[in-house]
Amino acid sequence: MTNHTVNSPQFFLTAPSPCPYLDGQSERKVFTHLVGDKAPELNDLLTQGGFRRSQNIAYRPACETCRACVSVRILAGEFRATRSMRRIMAANTDLVATEYQAEPSSEQFRLFRRYLDSRHRRGGMADMTIGDYAMMVEDSHVDTRIIEYRVKQEGDGINEQPSGPLVGVALTDRMGDGLSMVYSFYNPDEQVRSLGTYMIVDHIERAAALGLPHVYLGYWVDGSRKMEYKVRFRPQEHLMAQGWQRYTD
C-alpha cells in the first residue's frame, strides 16, 4: 500500500449508496488512507476537519444534496453532567474500566455479536466475522486503545487484570487535542445501566484528567432518532462552514 505524507494525502470519492440514517437520501464519502509514520498527525488534522477513522481509512460525508451529518465534539473541561447522567454514573459504581493496547479477544467479539444482533441486525456491520472484528481493532496506524468495562469482582484491586463479566467495550483513539470514540458496544441486556451514556461520560472524565479539551463523538444527524443522544452532552461544538461553533438549541 502506498504511503501518503501529511502534506499530500490522496483523496478518493465513493459511489452513491442509500443513506443509513435518512430515508430517501443517498450518501457519498470522501476518504484517504491513514498509513505510515505520519498517520497520527494526519489523523489529528483530519479529525479536526470533520473526518472519522475506520481501520486505516479516514472518511467524511460528501453528499451532493444533503448536509445533515454534523461533526460533534464535547468540551471536556467545561462539561457538567446532568442529573440523569449523575444517576447513571452512580448506578454503575460496581464497574471497573481498564485500558489496553488495541488487541481483540474472543470475549470482546462475543459481546460485539450480541450487541449487533440486538441493536443493528440490519446494519452494515451485521455480517462481521471474528476476523473482521480483529481487523477493526488492530488495523490502526494511530494511538488506539481498547477500554473494557467489567463488573467488579472481589480481588480486582489486587489482580493485574479485572476478571468480572465484560459488559462494555470502547475502541478509542488518543489524539493531540482529545479522545475520539471510534466505536463502542455493550451488553444489550443491561439496559438499566444506560451503558452508552456511561461510557461517553467516562471518556469525558478521562479526557479532562489528561488535560485534553475534546471528546469527538462522530456525526450527529439532524432528523435521525439514532443520533439524538449526541446533543445531550453539553457544552459541545459542531463543525460548520465557519469552523467549530458552540452548539445551542
Side-chain angles (χ1 to χ4, degrees), residues 229-240:
Y229 73 93
K230 293 190 178 183
V231 294
R232 294 193 292 111
F233 301 88
R234 311 281 185 93
Q236 63 179 236
E237 293 178 329
H238 291 187
L239 184 57
M240 312 304 289

Side-chain angles (χ1 to χ4, degrees), residues 45 76 87 96 101 130-131 164 167 172 174 209 211 218:
L45 291 171
R87 285 199 297 266
V96 58
Q101 294 297 319
I130 190 168
V167 296
T172 303
R174 180 170 176 179

Side-chain angles (χ1 to χ4, degrees), residues 121-138:
R121 190 172 299 174
R122 298 181 181 179
M125 304 173 77
D127 296 328
M128 286 181 65
T129 66
I130 190 168
D132 297 326
Y133 174 75
M135 286 293 289
M136 182 178 80
V137 174
E138 293 178 326

Side-chain angles (χ1 to χ4, degrees), residues 10 14 31 37 52 72 82 90 97 119 124 132 163 174 208:
Q10 294 182 338
T14 65
F31 69 94
D37 295 340
R52 292 288 285 168
V72 173
T82 64
R119 297 298 182 93
D132 297 326
S163 57
R174 180 170 176 179

Side-chain angles (χ1 to χ4, degrees), residues 2-192:
T2 303
N3 285 359
H4 307 302
T5 68
V6 173
N7 295 327
S8 59
Q10 294 182 338
F11 291 89
F12 308 90
L13 188 64
T14 65
S17 61
C19 177
Y21 301 111
L22 299 177
D23 293 337
Q25 294 286 352
S26 295
E27 71 166 358
R28 301 189 77 178
K29 296 175 182 176
V30 61
F31 69 94
T32 190
H33 297 282
L34 292 170
V35 293
D37 295 340
K38 297 294 186 180
E41 183 181 350
L42 179 59
N43 188 48
D44 279 19
L45 291 171
L46 291 177
T47 301
Q48 292 160 12
F51 281 72
R52 292 288 285 168
R53 185 183 70 80
S54 178
Q55 296 178 220
N56 66 359
I57 297 291
Y59 69 91
R60 67 168 296 169
C63 306
E64 296 175 358
T65 61
C66 179
R67 296 292 182 269
C69 292
V70 178
S71 295
V72 173
R73 68 184 186 188
I74 302 164
L75 301 176
E78 299 180 47
F79 173 78
R80 297 294 180 271
T82 64
R83 183 178 301 177
S84 65
M85 291 174 188
R86 292 196 297 271
R87 285 199 297 266
I88 289 168
M89 301 308 287
N92 286 289
T93 54
D94 63 331
L95 298 186
V96 58
T98 309
E99 184 176 309
Y100 301 98
Q101 294 297 319
E103 297 181 358
S105 71
S106 57
E107 185 183 22
Q108 293 168 14
F109 178 71
R110 288 193 296 271
L111 183 63
F112 177 70
R113 283 282 7 141
R114 287 182 64 188
Y115 175 78
L116 289 182
D117 292 343
S118 174
R119 297 298 182 93
H120 302 287
R121 190 172 299 174
R122 298 181 181 179
M125 304 173 77
D127 296 328
M128 286 181 65
T129 66
I130 190 168
D132 297 326
Y133 174 75
M135 286 293 289
M136 182 178 80
V137 174
E138 293 178 326
D139 192 7
S140 171
H141 291 246
V142 303
D143 187 1
T144 303
R145 311 295 176 90
I146 279 277
I147 303 173
E148 292 187 345
Y149 298 85
R150 294 181 180 273
V151 179
K152 290 178 184 177
Q153 299 288 293
E154 185 176 352
D156 275 348
I158 301 172
N159 296 334
E160 195 168 308
Q161 295 183 340
S163 57
L166 182 68
V167 296
V169 175
L171 183 65
T172 303
D173 289 346
R174 180 170 176 179
M175 306 185 307
D177 73 326
L179 302 178
S180 177
M181 297 186 70
V182 176
Y183 196 79
S184 60
F185 54 95
Y186 50 84
N187 187 339
D189 296 331
E190 297 275 3
Q191 294 185 29
V192 69

